[in-house]
Amino acid sequence: MIRKVFKKKSSEKSKIDTFLDKYNLPKTYLSINRKTVTKGVFVGLFWAFIPMPMQMLAVVATTPFVRFNVPIAISMVWLTNPFTMPIVYFIEYLTGNFILGREGIQDIELTMEWFTTHFSDILVPLYVGTAFYSIVISSLVYFLINWLWISSVRKEKDSKILERNEKKSEDEDLSRE
C-alpha cells in the first residue's frame, strides 16, 4: 500500500526529469523506492537531532556519500523546528547527563549571560545525548520503515494472489455449469 502512494502515474517525461537531466543530477535523489526513502528518513533524522545551524545544508552535503531521497530527508530535518528544538535539546541534555553519570545543572536561567557562563557544562552532555538519539532513533526508524514497506508489499502481493485464486475458482465453477 505504501508503495502505491508514491508510485509514478505517467510515463511521459515530467518537469522533474527535465530538471534532473538539465543539471546532470542522479535520479536517485528524487526516486521513490524502499531503499531511497528509508535512507532519506535515516539521514534526515540523523541531522535533525544534531543541534547546529543549517541542518538542511548538512543533508545536502551528505548526498555525494549516500544516495537517498533528498526531499524526504530535508522534510525529516524539520521535525526539529523552532518550536520543538528546546524540548528535544533539553531531553538530549538530560540523556547525556544520564549516560555520563552526571547530576546536571540546577537553577537554569534563560538568559544569554547564564548560557555563556555554563556553556562548557552544557556542551558535553548535550552532544553525548545528541549522538545517542541521532544514531539510535534514526536507526530504529530506518528499520521500522523498512519493515513496514516490506510487509506492505507482501500483503499486497498476497491479496493479489488470493484475488487471482478466487477469480480462477469462480471461472472453474462457471465452466462446470
Side-chain angles (χ1 to χ4, degrees):
M1 290 296 200
I2 194 168
R3 206 167 42 104
K4 284 185 177 182
V5 173
F6 293 118
K7 210 171 197 180
K8 193 172 183 178
K9 297 290 181 191
S10 65
S11 60
E12 63 188 50
K13 196 167 188 174
S14 67
K15 291 179 183 180
I16 294 173
D17 291 334
T18 308
F19 175 80
L20 292 173
D21 291 341
K22 180 179 178 181
Y23 294 104
N24 198 25
L25 296 171
K27 293 184 191 272
T28 322
Y29 293 163
L30 296 175
S31 67
I32 306 291
N33 60 47
R34 179 178 53 89
K35 290 183 180 180
T36 58
V37 169
T38 53
K39 286 179 187 176
V41 169
F42 175 82
V43 169
L45 284 177
F46 179 84
W47 288 111
F49 285 113
I50 298 176
M52 61 181 268
M54 296 186 274
Q55 295 165 323
M56 291 186 296
L57 289 178
V59 166
V60 173
T62 309
T63 57
F65 307 108
V66 181
R67 299 283 174 120
F68 57 89
N69 187 299
V70 176
I72 289 177
I74 289 175
S75 66
M76 288 290 108
V77 165
W78 277 97
L79 289 175
T80 53
N81 55 54
F83 298 109
T84 61
M85 276 184 191
I87 298 163
V88 170
Y89 297 156
F90 183 67
I91 291 171
E92 289 176 350
Y93 170 73
L94 293 176
T95 304
N97 277 326
F98 177 76
I99 291 170
L100 294 172
R102 293 185 180 177
E103 283 289 318
I105 300 172
Q106 306 298 323
D107 303 327
I108 298 173
E109 296 176 18
L110 296 177
T111 62
M112 284 306 289
E113 181 184 331
W114 185 89
F115 277 106
T116 53
T117 57
H118 292 90
F119 185 71
S120 60
D121 298 330
I122 296 170
L123 195 64
V124 172
L126 175 64
Y127 275 95
V128 168
T130 296
F132 174 78
Y133 284 107
S134 285
I135 294 167
V136 173
I137 298 297
S138 57
S139 297
L140 287 175
V141 171
Y142 170 84
F143 288 117
L144 176 69
I145 291 174
N146 201 19
W147 177 79
L148 286 171
W149 193 296
I150 290 170
S151 66
S152 172
V153 170
R154 283 184 184 152
K155 205 177 283 185
E156 184 179 332
K157 193 184 264 186
D158 291 344
S159 69
K160 283 184 180 180
I161 290 171
L162 184 64
E163 197 174 292
R164 196 177 312 131
N165 288 341
E166 287 175 358
K167 186 174 181 178
K168 199 177 201 180
S169 66
E170 286 176 12
D171 290 343
E172 288 175 358
D173 288 345
L174 287 175
S175 66
R176 287 183 192 159
E177 291 176 2

